[in-house]
Amino acid sequence: MKRIILFWGILCSFLGAQAQQEPVSAPSPTFPRHSLQIGSGDPTLIRLMYINRSGCPYYHLIDNDWFSPDTYRGKKTTLFPISLSYSYSLKKWLALGGMTTYNCYFYSEYERSTRKVVGQFEKHFFAFMPTIHFTWLNKKIVSLYSGGALGVAFLYTYSRGEHLWEVAPAFQLTFIGIRVGKTWYGFGEYGVGVKGFLATGIGYKF
Amino acid sequence: MKKVIFFIALLSVSFSSCYVEEADLAENRTQKGKLIYDTWSFAMKNTVTDFINIAFHFNYWLEAPAEEKNSIEDSLFSNYKIRKESADVWQLLKGNQIKYRIYCINQSLNNLGARWNIVRYPDSYPYSELPYYNSYSFTSFYSDTMELAISNLTGRKWHVWMNENTTPKTFIDFTFTTDDVIMPIGVDNENMSLSGNGTFRFNYLGFNGIEEDEDEDTKRYGFIDFTIDSPLYYRSCSTLFFFWKSGKVSLEAYNLYQDTLKIEATFLFPEANYNTIQLTYNGVTENYH
């Protein structure tokens, strides 16, 4: 993790230095500086890092005494993480912004002998992260970029009438992303973090 | 271009659905009843093996001709040495330690009116030898010196009883009956039937299987009261359990917090190859083969 942060730090310094080499007298290009996008990724990493980490308890006869509830877990449903982000382009190749990601995971718990629902397990995940993006190929309708985000995640767990809040670090590294379109665009990303390994969605530049 | 955006948006929305993992297997509704039945069956097997059969085995050895005694000792008492203490008292030694002392009053158990007492002594560390089954150790009869009494009621009917001074009291009160003329070698015999009742005590060991302190142990005791409603006929056994070919038993598991579970087990023997245990728990009846 530290190595990844270090890598991004070096990259930022490098690109920052590149930016400083641009002629000061060059006129500022006019281009849409604001960008809003919504997308969705795969839940693999969220499940591994956050949801399964603190466990998803349910009673099972084998682990309990005779008088404990004997239950079994119903279908586990995980929403694909939804991300909403805003960015502001300082330069054509550099944008800063923020992102929020939401995911949830839930199942019902059934009493074995009656097959009735006796409990509900829910876990909700919210992440808030500042973001940075570097656009390294900028064509008329296609652009390629990389980026990163580091922030905080809040996890809310509800199980058998008990509520639990947890706080954990959250991150997203986008190794390569592609945008296709002008004002309205679609995007696809490959990376690692709370958005998953693969993410896709739509955005709007203004 | 708009078509591309529309296509990506559509892809995105469809991708934003849910990821679903299958539910756990619901298994049998009477699974908990089966677990308690198995625990009772396990306790029965241990009680019969370590207490009651000692009497029948020893009687078989006692009545055997002198030239057969060594081979019987090797097969039925391979872990013990048999020593005579006095005219009616015998010892079974495990190493140098007396494990059983057998009081053969009236000599043969075959004789009407014969009454024997068998005293079993625990190891130096009794908890180390407690039989253990699925989170519970069987604590009745094993942690203290225990005395079993057996008497011949009618020639081919034996009354067996044993009790432990605990609260609630744990005990067995059995009657074994056979129509055979030949004296059985053990009660695990197809021609024997068993009736009676009793209470077994168990200690819940928790997830890690570790005994907690004594006060905590007491709170975690579980008990199984049982009444044999219809005589049980032995068919076979495994290392853990007896299998009965007919009969019916009612079980009531409880703890010191007034939690109670009731189970009824009926034994059916519809075919030669398998037994059926019909369990009723929480109003549901299911068969186990």
Side-chain angles (χ1 to χ4, degrees):
Chain A
M1 182 63 201
K2 283 179 181 171
R3 286 181 185 174
I4 294 168
I5 293 168
L6 184 64
F7 167 76
W8 281 106
I10 291 167
L11 191 66
C12 291
S13 308
F14 172 75
L15 291 169
Q18 290 273 309
Q20 284 169 14
Q21 287 166 13
E22 288 178 10
V24 179
S25 59
S28 302
T30 54
F31 57 91
R33 289 182 180 271
H34 305 277
S35 170
L36 263 178
Q37 64 181 43
I38 185 165
S40 161
D42 65 273
T44 314
L45 278 166
I46 287 189
R47 292 176 69 234
L48 284 175
M49 293 176 62
Y50 301 99
I51 290 173
N52 291 348
R53 186 189 63 164
S54 52
C56 304
Y58 61 96
Y59 293 111
H60 191 275
L61 183 59
I62 300 306
D63 303 331
N64 290 281
D65 68 67
W66 301 330
F67 308 101
S68 296
D70 179 24
T71 62
Y72 64 95
R73 176 184 59 72
K75 281 183 179 175
K76 280 184 191 173
T77 305
T78 312
L79 201 69
F80 284 92
I82 297 168
S83 297
L84 180 66
S85 59
Y86 164 80
S87 64
Y88 178 80
S89 296
L90 296 172
K91 306 278 183 187
K92 266 198 159 183
W93 53 270
L94 176 66
L96 297 176
M99 177 170 72
T100 179
T101 302
Y102 170 75
N103 189 21
C104 70
Y105 167 95
F106 51 90
Y107 61 76
S108 296
E109 190 181 344
Y110 296 85
E111 213 279 323
R112 198 180 308 281
S113 69
T114 60
R115 304 290 199 250
K116 286 181 180 168
V117 175
V118 292
Q120 186 76 19
F121 181 92
E122 290 174 28
K123 196 157 217 167
H124 300 269
F125 173 95
F126 309 88
F128 300 95
M129 297 176 287
T131 60
I132 182 166
H133 282 103
F134 306 100
T135 303
W136 40 269
L137 180 73
N138 212 341
K139 298 291 180 187
K140 201 171 181 183
I141 59 165
V142 176
S143 60
L144 296 176
Y145 61 93
S146 297
L150 186 64
V152 64
F154 298 93
L155 287 104
Y156 166 72
T157 307
Y158 173 79
S159 176
R160 293 183 166 268
E162 291 183 6
H163 308 267
L164 176 70
W165 279 98
E166 293 169 277
V167 181
F171 73 96
Q172 175 66 38
L173 290 176
T174 302
F175 302 133
I176 182 166
I178 182 168
R179 275 195 202 110
V180 180
K182 284 186 176 175
T183 307
W184 284 94
Y185 62 89
F187 72 90
E189 290 179 357
Y190 167 66
V192 59
V194 295
K195 287 165 90 173
F197 291 112
L198 295 169
T200 185
I202 54 171
Y204 177 65
K205 287 181 202 166
F206 55 99
Chain B
M1 188 59 218
K2 283 181 179 171
K3 283 181 184 173
V4 174
I5 294 171
F6 177 73
F7 172 72
I8 292 169
L10 192 69
L11 194 71
S12 175
V13 169
S14 56
F15 207 59
S16 298
S17 58
C18 299
Y19 176 77
V20 176
E21 278 179 70
E22 283 306 303
D24 281 350
L25 197 62
E27 301 181 68
N28 290 327
R29 288 168 182 254
T30 58
Q31 185 179 281
K32 181 176 278 191
K34 177 66 163 52
L35 176 68
I36 291 166
Y37 165 76
D38 282 344
T39 311
W40 170 79
S41 188
F42 173 78
M44 283 289 286
K45 174 77 168 32
N46 278 279
T47 304
V48 167
T49 304
D50 290 342
F51 293 93
I52 304 167
N53 259 351
I54 293 289
F56 283 87
H57 288 175
F58 191 77
N59 184 71
Y60 182 65
W61 177 86
L62 199 63
E63 291 204 310
E67 64 272 19
E68 291 178 18
K69 282 190 187 296
N70 280 346
S71 63
I72 294 170
E73 186 174 346
D74 290 344
S75 63
L76 296 180
F77 297 102
S78 56
N79 295 325
Y80 304 103
K81 286 179 284 189
I82 300 174
R83 295 287 180 271
K84 189 168 190 172
E85 188 176 300
S86 63
D88 287 334
V89 182
W90 295 82
Q91 296 172 353
L92 297 183
L93 300 169
K94 193 172 191 177
N96 294 321
Q97 191 186 13
I98 300 173
K99 194 71 194 170
Y100 294 93
R101 189 172 261 126
I102 303 168
Y103 298 85
C104 311
I105 304 157
N106 243 0
Q107 289 299 319
S108 174
L109 261 188
N110 208 6
N111 299 339
L112 177 65
R115 178 181 163 140
W116 286 18
N117 290 77
I118 295 176
V119 177
R120 183 183 185 280
Y121 300 95
D123 281 350
S124 313
Y125 301 99
Y127 276 98
S128 65
E129 64 166 18
L130 289 178
Y132 171 88
Y133 182 75
N134 198 51
S135 302
Y136 280 86
S137 60
F138 179 37
T139 54
S140 299
F141 318 138
Y142 280 88
S143 52
D144 288 317
T145 299
M146 209 56 233
E147 184 167 359
L148 173 108
I150 178 167
S151 61
N152 188 323
L153 298 178
T154 64
R156 285 295 173 269
K157 182 185 276 190
W158 292 267
H159 182 214
V160 178
W161 70 99
M162 176 164 63
N163 70 69
E164 195 172 22
N165 194 21
T166 56
T167 307
K169 192 169 74 171
T170 56
F171 72 102
I172 56 166
D173 190 338
F174 291 157
T175 303
F176 289 93
T177 308
T178 181
D179 296 328
D180 273 3
V181 177
I182 300 167
M183 176 71 185
I185 298 171
V187 295
D188 43 354
N189 180 309
E190 280 202 39
N191 298 318
M192 281 286 229
S193 70
L194 164 63
S195 56
N197 63 341
T199 299
F200 291 140
R201 187 180 66 182
F202 303 85
N203 192 11
Y204 175 61
L205 300 176
F207 184 71
N208 297 320
I210 297 167
E211 297 272 357
E212 295 177 18
D213 61 55
E214 198 171 319
D215 291 342
E216 195 62 30
D217 273 354
T218 309
K219 290 175 192 167
R220 295 163 80 97
Y221 278 136
F223 300 84
I224 298 179
D225 274 359
F226 63 95
T227 303
I228 298 170
D229 303 316
S230 173
L232 307 179
Y233 280 85
Y234 173 88
R235 181 185 179 238
S236 61
C237 69
S238 67
T239 52
L240 294 178
F241 309 121
F242 282 133
F243 302 109
W244 311 96
K245 60 185 174 188
S246 65
K248 185 179 176 186
V249 63
S250 299
L251 309 175
E252 185 172 333
Y254 59 94
N255 61 13
L256 298 176
Y257 296 105
Q258 278 80 48
D259 297 314
T260 304
L261 303 168
K262 290 184 178 180
I263 300 105
E264 280 184 3
T266 305
F267 306 98
L268 309 170
F269 192 47
E271 289 182 23
N273 294 330
Y274 65 89
N275 287 70
T276 299
I277 305 166
Q278 190 172 75
L279 284 183
T280 302
Y281 166 71
N282 213 11
V284 180
T285 301
E286 289 175 324
N287 288 352
Y288 293 84
H289 302 295

Coordinates of all heavy atoms in Angstrom, one line a residue, chain A residues 150-191:
Chain A
L150 N -7.9 8.6 -2.0 CA -7.6 8.1 -0.7 C -8.5 8.8 0.3 O -8.6 10.0 0.3 CB -6.2 8.3 -0.3 CG -5.7 7.6 1.0 CD1 -5.8 6.1 0.9 CD2 -4.3 8.1 1.3
G151 N -9.3 8.0 1.1 CA -10.2 8.7 2.0 C -10.6 7.8 3.1 O -9.8 7.0 3.6
V152 N -11.8 8.0 3.5 CA -12.3 7.3 4.7 C -13.6 6.5 4.3 O -14.4 7.0 3.5 CB -12.5 8.2 5.8 CG1 -13.6 9.3 5.5 CG2 -12.8 7.5 7.1
A153 N -13.8 5.4 4.9 CA -15.0 4.6 4.7 C -15.8 4.4 6.1 O -15.1 4.3 7.1 CB -14.7 3.2 4.2
F154 N -17.1 4.5 6.0 CA -17.9 4.3 7.2 C -18.7 3.0 6.9 O -19.3 2.9 5.8 CB -18.8 5.4 7.4 CG -18.1 6.7 7.7 CD1 -17.8 7.6 6.7 CD2 -17.7 7.0 9.0 CE1 -17.1 8.8 6.9 CE2 -17.0 8.2 9.3 CZ -16.7 9.0 8.2
L155 N -18.7 2.1 7.9 CA -19.4 0.9 7.7 C -20.5 0.8 8.8 O -20.2 0.9 10.0 CB -18.5 -0.4 7.9 CG -17.6 -0.6 6.7 CD1 -16.2 -0.1 7.0 CD2 -17.6 -2.0 6.3
Y156 N -21.7 0.5 8.4 CA -22.8 0.4 9.3 C -23.3 -1.0 9.2 O -23.6 -1.5 8.2 CB -23.9 1.4 8.9 CG -25.2 1.1 9.6 CD1 -25.4 1.4 11.0 CD2 -26.3 0.6 8.9 CE1 -26.6 1.1 11.6 CE2 -27.5 0.3 9.6 CZ -27.6 0.6 10.9 OH -28.8 0.3 11.6
T157 N -23.3 -1.7 10.4 CA -23.8 -3.1 10.4 C -25.0 -3.2 11.3 O -25.1 -2.6 12.4 CB -22.7 -4.0 11.0 OG1 -21.5 -3.8 10.3 CG2 -23.1 -5.4 10.9
Y158 N -26.0 -3.9 10.8 CA -27.2 -4.1 11.6 C -27.4 -5.7 11.7 O -27.4 -6.3 10.6 CB -28.5 -3.5 11.0 CG -29.7 -3.9 11.7 CD1 -30.1 -3.3 12.9 CD2 -30.5 -4.9 11.2 CE1 -31.2 -3.7 13.5 CE2 -31.7 -5.3 11.8 CZ -32.0 -4.7 13.0 OH -33.2 -5.1 13.7
S159 N -27.4 -6.2 12.9 CA -27.6 -7.6 13.0 C -28.3 -7.9 14.3 O -27.8 -7.5 15.4 CB -26.2 -8.3 13.0 OG -26.3 -9.7 13.3
R160 N -29.4 -8.7 14.3 CA -30.1 -9.1 15.4 C -30.4 -7.9 16.4 O -30.2 -8.0 17.6 CB -29.4 -10.1 16.2 CG -29.3 -11.4 15.4 CD -28.6 -12.5 16.2 NE -28.8 -13.8 15.6 CZ -29.9 -14.6 15.9 NH1 -30.7 -14.3 16.8 NH2 -30.0 -15.7 15.2
G161 N -30.9 -6.8 15.8 CA -31.3 -5.7 16.6 C -30.1 -4.8 17.1 O -30.3 -3.8 17.8
E162 N -28.9 -5.1 16.7 CA -27.7 -4.4 17.2 C -27.2 -3.5 16.0 O -27.1 -4.0 14.9 CB -26.7 -5.3 17.7 CG -27.1 -5.9 19.0 CD -26.0 -6.8 19.6 OE1 -24.9 -6.8 19.1 OE2 -26.3 -7.4 20.7
H163 N -26.8 -2.3 16.3 CA -26.2 -1.4 15.3 C -24.7 -1.2 15.6 O -24.4 -1.1 16.8 CB -26.9 -0.1 15.4 CG -28.4 -0.2 15.3 ND1 -29.1 -0.1 14.1 CD2 -29.4 -0.4 16.3 CE1 -30.4 -0.3 14.4 NE2 -30.6 -0.5 15.7
L164 N -24.0 -1.2 14.6 CA -22.5 -1.0 14.8 C -22.0 -0.1 13.7 O -22.3 -0.3 12.5 CB -21.8 -2.3 14.7 CG -20.3 -2.3 14.8 CD1 -19.8 -1.9 16.2 CD2 -19.7 -3.7 14.5
W165 N -21.2 0.9 14.1 CA -20.6 1.8 13.1 C -19.1 1.5 13.2 O -18.5 1.4 14.3 CB -20.8 3.3 13.4 CG -22.1 3.8 12.9 CD1 -23.3 3.9 13.6 CD2 -22.4 4.2 11.6 NE1 -24.3 4.4 12.8 CE2 -23.8 4.6 11.5 CE3 -21.7 4.3 10.4 CZ2 -24.4 5.0 10.4 CZ3 -22.3 4.8 9.3 CH2 -23.7 5.1 9.3
E166 N -18.4 1.5 12.1 CA -17.0 1.3 12.0 C -16.4 2.3 11.0 O -17.1 2.7 10.1 CB -16.6 -0.1 11.6 CG -17.0 -1.2 12.5 CD -16.8 -2.6 11.8 OE1 -17.7 -3.0 11.1 OE2 -15.7 -3.2 12.0
V167 N -15.2 2.7 11.2 CA -14.5 3.6 10.3 C -13.2 2.9 9.8 O -12.5 2.2 10.6 CB -14.1 4.9 11.0 CG1 -13.4 5.8 10.0 CG2 -15.3 5.6 11.6
A168 N -12.9 3.0 8.5 CA -11.8 2.3 8.0 C -11.3 3.2 6.8 O -12.0 4.0 6.2 CB -12.2 0.9 7.4
P169 N -10.0 3.0 6.5 CA -9.5 3.8 5.3 C -10.1 3.2 4.0 O -10.4 2.0 3.9 CB -8.0 3.5 5.3 CG -7.8 2.3 6.2 CD -8.9 2.2 7.1
A170 N -10.2 4.1 3.0 CA -10.7 3.6 1.7 C -9.8 4.2 0.6 O -9.2 5.3 0.8 CB -12.1 4.1 1.5
F171 N -9.6 3.5 -0.5 CA -8.8 4.0 -1.5 C -9.3 3.5 -2.9 O -10.1 2.5 -2.9 CB -7.3 3.5 -1.3 CG -7.1 2.0 -1.6 CD1 -6.7 1.6 -2.9 CD2 -7.4 1.1 -0.7 CE1 -6.5 0.3 -3.2 CE2 -7.2 -0.3 -1.0 CZ -6.8 -0.7 -2.2
Q172 N -8.8 4.1 -3.9 CA -9.1 3.7 -5.3 C -7.9 4.1 -6.1 O -7.5 5.2 -6.1 CB -10.4 4.3 -5.8 CG -10.7 4.0 -7.3 CD -11.0 2.5 -7.5 OE1 -11.6 1.9 -6.7 NE2 -10.5 2.0 -8.6
L173 N -7.4 3.1 -6.8 CA -6.3 3.4 -7.8 C -6.8 3.0 -9.2 O -7.2 1.9 -9.3 CB -5.0 2.6 -7.5 CG -4.3 3.0 -6.2 CD1 -3.1 2.1 -6.0 CD2 -3.8 4.5 -6.3
T174 N -6.8 4.0 -10.1 CA -7.2 3.6 -11.4 C -6.0 3.6 -12.3 O -5.3 4.6 -12.5 CB -8.2 4.7 -12.0 OG1 -9.3 4.8 -11.1 CG2 -8.7 4.4 -13.3
F175 N -5.7 2.3 -12.7 CA -4.5 2.2 -13.6 C -4.7 2.8 -15.0 O -3.9 3.5 -15.5 CB -4.1 0.7 -13.7 CG -3.9 0.0 -12.3 CD1 -4.5 -1.2 -12.0 CD2 -3.1 0.7 -11.4 CE1 -4.3 -1.7 -10.8 CE2 -2.9 0.1 -10.1 CZ -3.5 -1.1 -9.8
I176 N -5.8 2.4 -15.5 CA -6.1 3.0 -16.8 C -7.7 3.2 -16.9 O -8.4 2.3 -16.5 CB -5.6 2.1 -18.0 CG1 -5.9 2.7 -19.3 CG2 -6.2 0.7 -17.9 CD1 -5.2 2.1 -20.5
G177 N -8.0 4.4 -17.4 CA -9.4 4.7 -17.6 C -9.6 5.2 -19.0 O -8.7 5.9 -19.6
I178 N -10.8 5.0 -19.6 CA -11.0 5.6 -20.9 C -12.4 6.3 -20.9 O -13.3 5.9 -20.2 CB -11.1 4.4 -22.0 CG1 -11.3 5.0 -23.4 CG2 -12.1 3.3 -21.6 CD1 -11.1 4.0 -24.5
R179 N -12.3 7.5 -21.5 CA -13.6 8.3 -21.6 C -13.9 8.4 -23.1 O -13.0 8.7 -23.9 CB -13.4 9.7 -21.1 CG -13.6 9.8 -19.6 CD -13.8 11.3 -19.3 NE -13.5 11.4 -17.9 CZ -12.4 12.0 -17.4 NH1 -11.5 12.6 -18.2 NH2 -12.2 12.1 -16.1
V180 N -15.1 8.2 -23.5 CA -15.6 8.3 -24.9 C -16.8 9.2 -24.9 O -17.8 8.9 -24.2 CB -15.9 6.9 -25.4 CG1 -16.4 7.0 -26.9 CG2 -14.8 5.9 -25.3
G181 N -16.6 10.3 -25.6 CA -17.7 11.2 -25.8 C -17.2 12.6 -25.5 O -16.1 12.9 -25.1
K182 N -18.1 13.6 -25.8 CA -17.8 15.0 -25.6 C -18.4 15.5 -24.3 O -17.8 15.4 -23.3 CB -18.2 15.8 -26.8 CG -17.3 15.6 -28.0 CD -17.7 16.5 -29.2 CE -16.8 16.4 -30.3 NZ -17.2 17.2 -31.5
T183 N -19.6 16.1 -24.5 CA -20.3 16.6 -23.3 C -20.8 15.5 -22.4 O -20.5 15.4 -21.2 CB -21.4 17.5 -23.7 OG1 -21.0 18.5 -24.6 CG2 -22.0 18.2 -22.5
W184 N -21.5 14.6 -23.0 CA -21.9 13.4 -22.3 C -20.9 12.3 -22.7 O -20.5 12.2 -23.9 CB -23.3 12.9 -22.8 CG -24.4 13.7 -22.2 CD1 -25.0 14.8 -22.7 CD2 -25.0 13.5 -20.9 NE1 -26.0 15.3 -21.8 CE2 -26.0 14.5 -20.7 CE3 -24.8 12.5 -19.9 CZ2 -26.8 14.6 -19.6 CZ3 -25.6 12.6 -18.8 CH2 -26.6 13.6 -18.6
Y185 N -20.5 11.5 -21.8 CA -19.5 10.5 -22.1 C -19.7 9.3 -21.3 O -20.4 9.3 -20.2 CB -18.1 11.1 -21.9 CG -17.8 11.4 -20.5 CD1 -17.3 10.5 -19.6 CD2 -18.0 12.7 -20.0 CE1 -17.0 10.8 -18.3 CE2 -17.7 13.1 -18.7 CZ -17.2 12.1 -17.9 OH -17.0 12.5 -16.6
G186 N -19.2 8.2 -21.8 CA -19.2 7.0 -21.1 C -17.7 6.7 -20.7 O -16.8 7.2 -21.3
F187 N -17.6 6.0 -19.6 CA -16.2 5.7 -19.2 C -16.1 4.2 -18.7 O -17.1 3.6 -18.3 CB -15.7 6.6 -18.1 CG -16.4 6.4 -16.7 CD1 -15.9 5.5 -15.8 CD2 -17.6 7.0 -16.4 CE1 -16.5 5.3 -14.6 CE2 -18.2 6.8 -15.2 CZ -17.6 5.9 -14.3
G188 N -14.9 3.7 -18.8 CA -14.5 2.4 -18.3 C -13.2 2.5 -17.6 O -12.3 3.2 -18.0
E189 N -13.1 1.8 -16.5 CA -11.8 1.9 -15.7 C -11.3 0.5 -15.3 O -12.2 -0.4 -15.0 CB -12.0 2.7 -14.4 CG -12.3 4.2 -14.7 CD -12.5 5.0 -13.4 OE1 -12.5 4.4 -12.3 OE2 -12.7 6.2 -13.5
Y190 N -10.0 0.4 -15.2 CA -9.5 -0.8 -14.6 C -8.5 -0.3 -13.5 O -7.7 0.5 -13.7 CB -8.6 -1.6 -15.7 CG -7.7 -2.6 -15.1 CD1 -8.3 -3.8 -14.5 CD2 -6.4 -2.5 -15.1 CE1 -7.5 -4.7 -13.9 CE2 -5.5 -3.5 -14.6 CZ -6.1 -4.6 -13.9 OH -5.3 -5.5 -13.4
G191 N -8.8 -0.9 -12.3 CA -8.0 -0.5 -11.2 C -8.2 -1.4 -10.0 O -8.6 -2.5 -10.1

